[in-house]
Amino acid sequence: MSVDLDQTPRSILVWERSSFLDEKNRINSEVEQLHFNYKVSVLLPECSSTPPHLESVLTSFSRFYLVRNLPLHKLLDKEFLETAVYQGSVYGLSYRTRIDEDNCVALMPNGRLVLSLDKDSFQVLGFEGKPSTFGNRTKNRFVVTIDLTDSSMAPGGRGYLRLLTGLTSRLSLQMDFLLSHHPGGGASLQPLLSHCDWSEHTPEISTQSLTHLSCPEPQSCDPHSFLEWLGAVHTDVSRTKDNTESSSESLDLWTAASSGCAPPRSGAQVLPRAVSAGVLDVPDGSRFC
């Protein structure tokens, strides 16, 4: 089989120009569609320090749990559904699964179970799904979204029994899983954790101030050029971190002094004292800007 080395893998670049001050901005809706993000990097040009309102958000992150070798059907246990899923107090993500290669699972706070499956697993499970944008030329992938709060998914219901049979008899998925909960919802996880091997963790946040950083102006820069610049900054910061830290952070926050940054154009809607740009890394290497 011949391989064309000049062809680059398929990639997706999502580019949104908006203001967080605009209630109708599309950034929130775009982020909510990315179910399998595991890391957030934020760059704040023209900011010498973290804004207070952002600082309060970062310090509000709750602890989370790493559950080892979790059989996926355990998420369908009646007690866990009643104390956690139906209450909208829990969310989870499969750990160290590659979005373009492995079977990945996300449990959303709205009670939706999202599975990104390879073609064979999708056919074995037997649930309807949609083609995934993270497939490649040789491996088709599909996304299955199941609303666990739907009446048909109540324990004993037709949909519930169909899914339970699929995850116990036909497709016995088992993986490491990250679970977290809203403040005050820790007790909701106990029915599940009591039967599993788990460890408790606290999100680690890395902050770094960049000086004399020349910043392009997002309003006039084309998306791919801006992404290349952002990638170069991310690489440089990561190299510095690798020399000083041994752990992988769940959130990186960079602030850049304003001396080397181009000012926003007149009339542009931006955060006070800052042009904001965010990057969400996903396991296949693509980024949301």
Side-chain angles (χ1 to χ4, degrees), residues 66-136:
L66 172 59
V67 184
R68 299 288 185 182
N69 299 317
L70 174 69
L72 196 60
H73 67 83
K74 289 289 187 180
L75 298 178
L76 302 180
D77 286 353
K78 180 179 179 180
E79 189 175 1
F80 178 69
L81 290 173
E82 292 177 344
T83 60
V85 177
Y86 296 161
Q87 304 302 322
S89 62
V90 64
Y91 43 97
L93 181 66
S94 55
Y95 181 58
R96 294 191 182 279
T97 51
R98 299 165 295 181
I99 191 62
D100 57 341
E101 293 286 340
D102 305 323
N103 291 323
C104 305
V105 179
L107 178 61
M108 310 304 294
N110 60 8
R112 283 175 169 77
L113 185 66
V114 184
L115 301 93
S116 177
L117 305 173
D118 58 50
K119 183 178 180 180
D120 292 340
S121 299
F122 171 70
Q123 292 176 339
V124 170
L125 182 62
F127 268 71
E128 294 183 1
K130 298 180 179 180
S132 170
T133 57
F134 294 108
N136 55 46

Side-chain angles (χ1 to χ4, degrees), residues 247-288:
S247 62
S248 176
E249 309 297 339
S250 59
L251 187 144
D252 296 329
L253 177 66
W254 318 321
T255 59
S258 60
S259 58
C261 297
R265 293 186 301 179
S266 176
Q269 289 186 318
V270 295
L271 284 173
R273 299 183 63 251
V275 178
S276 292
V279 180
L280 298 181
D281 291 335
V282 290
D284 71 331
S286 61
R287 291 182 173 86
F288 173 84

Side-chain angles (χ1 to χ4, degrees), residues 1 8 25 27 43 71 80 98 112 120 124 158 160 200 205 211 219 234 240 248 251 257 261 286:
M1 181 181 65
T8 57
N25 75 77
I27 299 177
L43 173 61
F80 178 69
R98 299 165 295 181
R112 283 175 169 77
D120 292 340
V124 170
R158 181 177 180 181
Y160 174 88
E200 183 177 337
I205 301 174
T211 58
Q219 288 82 2
H234 184 274
T240 302
S248 176
L251 187 144
C261 297
S286 61

Side-chain angles (χ1 to χ4, degrees), residues 200-225:
E200 183 177 337
H201 302 269
T202 302
E204 296 182 0
I205 301 174
S206 170
T207 62
Q208 184 170 351
S209 296
L210 310 176
T211 58
H212 306 293
L213 177 65
S214 178
C215 306
E217 187 177 351
Q219 288 82 2
S220 60
C221 184
D222 73 272
H224 287 88
S225 298

Side-chain angles (χ1 to χ4, degrees), residues 226-248:
F226 185 78
L227 180 62
E228 288 184 5
W229 172 83
L230 205 54
V233 175
H234 184 274
T235 300
D236 184 61
V237 172
S238 298
R239 185 183 303 114
T240 302
K241 283 179 54 183
D242 290 341
N243 293 334
T244 58
E245 301 176 5
S246 59
S247 62
S248 176

Side-chain angles (χ1 to χ4, degrees), residues 161-191:
L161 294 176
R162 181 185 171 198
L163 180 59
L164 183 62
T165 300
L167 294 177
T168 54
S169 302
R170 297 195 301 270
L171 185 64
S172 301
L173 291 178
Q174 183 170 301
M175 59 190 66
D176 292 348
F177 210 76
L178 300 176
L179 281 171
S180 188
H181 56 78
H182 293 310
S188 64
L189 297 182
Q190 291 307 312

